[in-house]
Amino acid sequence: ETGVTQSPTHLIKTRGQQVTLRCSSQSGHNTVSWYQQALGQGPQFIFQYYREEENGRGNFPPRFSGLQFPNYSSELNVNALELDDSALYLCASSFRNYNEQFFGPGTRLTVL
Amino acid sequence: GQQVMQIPQYQHVQEGEDFTTYCNSSTTLSNIQWYKQRPGGHPVFLIQLVKSGEVKKQKRLTFQFGEAKKNSSLHITATQTTDVGTYFCGALSGNTGKLIFGQGTTLQVKP
């Protein structure tokens, strides 16, 4: 196991609602990245936080936002949920942005 | 934007046969990372390649980075049922932490 934890493990929401997903990074890591993985696809980069600042963003709309806290844990917030937001959301922690990433078990989000 | 193409999408082999997945980019890559994701699991880091022409081995797994740093491969010798899963390559984009993954190659191994 990597030491990266995510909560909740599963979540069901309806279209238009808002959701907050949480991630605790591995001890000693200062970087957290978030990914969206649709069924049968590779993980798609949402954004990365390095020392509490956003350090790169993928092709996701502004309703996807995030935070990193002083203890390097992180949140992913998604507003105005759409059906296509249904996916596995993975967070990954690393020591720097170019190092190997350690993934958490993910949060499975279903939007009805 | 930068794209990483991975082939094949699926591969079914008999236990003991070899397996190779390829990762290609139209642009030069600063590095390439390989991950394995078991069914129902999360990606697990396997290796990172940085240098042109680099070859690294992990037991039955051999990883290569092309001379032009535009392609990479993962070769598994004498597959075992424990090798089942999806193998992803990932490339870092620029100086940000944006890791772009290929579509993955799903390996099935028949005992």
Side-chain angles (χ1 to χ4, degrees), chain A residues 91-106:
Chain A
C91 84
S93 79
S94 58
F95 175 60
R96 295 272 181 89
N97 62 345
Y98 49 81
N99 283 11
E100 62 192 83
Q101 301 196 9
F102 294 82
F103 282 82

Side-chain angles (χ1 to χ4, degrees), chain A residues 25-46:
Chain A
S25 59
Q26 185 163 309
S27 177
H29 287 181
N30 55 17
T31 305
V32 172
S33 303
W34 285 92
Y35 297 86
Q36 180 195 68
Q37 187 175 28
L39 208 57
Q41 302 292 318
Q44 297 292 311
F45 179 83
I46 304 175

Side-chain angles (χ1 to χ4, degrees), chain B residues 10-49:
Chain B
Y10 298 99
Q11 184 92 53
H12 295 248
V13 300
Q14 198 73 37
E15 190 172 20
E17 291 181 336
D18 291 356
F19 159 77
T20 306
T21 172
Y22 300 91
C23 187
N24 299 295
S25 170
S26 57
T27 59
T28 303
L29 304 171
S30 58
N31 72 14
I32 196 110
Q33 298 179 359
W34 285 92
Y35 292 79
K36 176 184 178 181
Q37 186 172 22
R38 288 200 162 96
H42 56 273
V44 174
F45 176 83
L46 295 176
I47 209 147
Q48 177 168 274
L49 304 172

